[in-house]
Amino acid sequence: MSVGLKAARTARPKVNAVGTMKTGVPLKVCLDGHVEEIDNVADAADFLQRWPIERRGHVYRSALNACSAAIAAQISESDAIKVFTGFARVAGILVGDNGPAMTLEARTAQSRLPKQGRQMPK
């Protein structure tokens, strides 16, 4: 086996802000005015452990579960980072290339209505 091929296999891919594989681009998140770089699943899990308890919801639990599963080698690290990226987007803490946290666009009334044929929840 050539040295270059072996090095390529051992290098761990990183995930950029949109959740696609891109070598060397860490995910940046901002909490309380402090920007942190998330380079791997362990960094993401550490960040989630410090997340405010009053802000922990379903999306938070999904991200924490994905990170835990990746650490236990039950899912890939890239899948866990994609889930963490979704959490960061929903929480409004994802930092873009320009610096400030990226915000979600406001939902329209149409997007909040159930799809045709579905009933409104009781």
Side-chain angles (χ1 to χ4, degrees):
M1 182 182 304
S2 70
V3 175
L5 182 58
K6 188 175 182 181
R9 282 188 183 165
T10 58
R12 294 193 345 200
K14 308 257 168 128
V15 178
N16 69 10
V18 294
T20 58
M21 303 309 291
K22 187 173 182 180
T23 304
V25 178
L27 182 70
K28 293 180 183 177
V29 292
C30 180
L31 181 61
D32 297 329
H34 177 70
V35 176
E36 294 185 42
E37 291 186 352
I38 306 297
D39 290 319
N40 52 45
V41 173
D43 290 348
D46 179 58
F47 180 85
L48 290 168
Q49 292 296 326
R50 293 181 280 117
W51 187 250
I53 293 172
E54 64 276 2
R55 293 184 65 189
R56 295 179 182 184
H58 297 294
V59 179
Y60 164 84
R61 283 192 295 278
S62 294
L64 186 62
N65 289 342
C67 289
S68 298
I71 290 168
Q74 295 172 338
I75 66 171
S76 70
E77 286 193 21
S78 64
D79 286 346
I81 291 294
K82 287 177 185 177
V83 175
F84 180 82
T85 302
F87 158 76
R89 277 197 189 117
V90 169
I93 60 169
L94 189 61
V95 177
D97 293 335
N98 299 335
M102 298 167 60
T103 57
L104 293 174
E105 294 179 15
R107 292 176 61 189
T108 64
Q110 183 66 30
S111 70
R112 285 181 244 144
L113 293 175
K115 297 196 187 251
Q116 192 172 18
R118 294 184 185 169
Q119 294 181 357
M120 291 290 285
K122 294 180 182 178

